[in-house]
Amino acid sequence: MDEYVLHASAAPDDEAARLALIQGYQDPLTVEALRSLPVAVGWRCLDVGAGAGSIARWLAAEVGSTGSVLATDLDVSALQTGPNLTVRRHDVRTDPLPPAEFDLVHTRLVLQHLPDRAEVLDRLVTSVRPNGHIVLGDIDFTVVRPAEPDPAFDKVHTAFDAAVRDAGWQPDLGARLLAMVDAAGLADARATCHQHVQHGGEAAPTILAMTYQRLRPRLLAFGAAEADVDHVLTRLADPAFRLHGPALWTVTARRS
């Protein structure tokens, strides 16, 4: 991947709004997984691809003044430091991580975008201390479909699948996370999967519409027609439309 195709610099306001919706939609599932560990006072935590920082802030509150959180991303413009929260620009593919440093490493919606995702996961695992935890979240887009047949939607989503694979994404990575964790030699792996059926204008359809809009030139390059994209965006905003949304996967595991 030479460049993240949804980089905020291309449309900062649109991407900020999209990230805010994603946080509101996915944070409860992530927090549920983190509480299951459970996260404890005094832990040292790493949040990779922290985005706008909602999970980093939650972790900072949980670990207290004796703990610490390091929040990293390629673009840290939306992140803010705190008494026990440090922000660092960091490329997880190439920049070093301290070995066996963290009680918890969390990343969400990062591995899906990286062609070298297995190597990146190995790097993350190395930064976890023995008996420390790793929490991974990602998506399976291949299960997205309208509740009723819609050929235009199928064309646009097929173009989306081809476009993101061309950009180095793995659009069904969520369903593959557990196998990746097993291959990395982690213990006590557990996975949860949530898929919601929502009406147009609700969180999942709106996030998908914003993603399609941001990727419109790529969708057209991979076979979607302008009229089909416009049709799909209209339907995704229509309360009468129902969408089987992407499957949201979260995997927790422990470094033995």
Side-chain angles (χ1 to χ4, degrees):
M1 180 186 70
D2 297 325
E3 181 182 359
Y4 176 48
V5 296
L6 291 171
H7 198 281
S9 62
D13 293 340
D14 291 346
E15 187 60 9
R18 197 179 73 93
L19 288 176
L21 276 173
I22 289 172
Q23 286 184 165
Y25 185 45
Q26 295 202 27
D27 278 4
L29 303 177
T30 302
V31 167
E32 180 182 355
L34 293 169
R35 288 191 187 280
S36 75
L37 297 178
V39 175
V41 170
W43 275 20
R44 296 160 295 169
C45 303
L46 171 65
D47 187 16
V48 175
S54 59
I55 293 301
R57 291 190 296 272
W58 185 89
L59 287 170
E62 292 296 305
V63 302
S65 60
T66 59
S68 63
V69 178
L70 173 60
T72 72
D73 212 318
L74 286 173
D75 179 356
V76 298
S77 59
L79 293 170
Q80 295 183 340
T81 61
N84 63 343
L85 173 56
T86 301
V87 172
R88 182 181 303 164
R89 188 191 182 282
H90 182 271
D91 188 334
V92 71
R93 300 168 298 177
T94 56
D95 295 336
L97 287 170
E101 174 73 16
F102 300 104
D103 300 284
L104 168 70
V105 171
H106 167 260
T107 189
R108 186 177 73 190
L109 305 183
V110 171
L111 295 178
Q112 183 162 63
H113 303 293
L114 305 179
D116 51 348
R117 56 191 64 88
E119 292 80 2
V120 169
L121 178 57
D122 287 341
R123 289 166 59 83
L124 295 178
V125 170
T126 300
S127 72
V128 180
R129 67 167 180 80
N131 290 314
H133 302 270
I134 191 162
V135 177
L136 309 173
D138 238 309
I139 290 180
D140 182 356
F141 282 105
T142 63
V143 298
V144 171
R145 64 177 179 84
E148 302 294 335
D150 186 332
F153 189 100
D154 295 343
K155 291 177 184 177
V156 170
H157 199 65
T158 296
F160 167 81
D161 186 88
V164 299
R165 289 182 191 273
D166 180 72
W169 296 20
Q170 180 72 48
D172 61 347
L173 187 70
R176 300 170 181 259
L177 283 179
L178 194 57
M180 288 184 66
V181 162
D182 289 341
L186 294 167
D188 300 336
R190 293 177 293 173
T192 61
C193 174
H194 294 80
Q195 184 184 24
H196 303 110
V197 178
Q198 292 192 328
H199 291 275
E202 294 188 276
T206 301
I207 294 166
L208 189 63
M210 297 174 81
T211 303
Y212 285 164
Q213 181 61 29
R214 290 288 311 280
L215 295 176
R216 180 188 282 258
R218 291 177 180 264
L219 300 183
L220 300 179
F222 280 87
E226 287 273 13
D228 289 336
V229 176
D230 291 339
H231 167 82
V232 168
L233 295 180
T234 298
R235 297 220 66 195
L236 288 169
D238 181 357
F241 177 75
R242 287 185 300 167
L243 178 78
H244 294 246
L248 313 177
W249 285 83
T250 306
V251 173
T252 63
R254 178 179 58 83
R255 184 179 182 187
S256 57

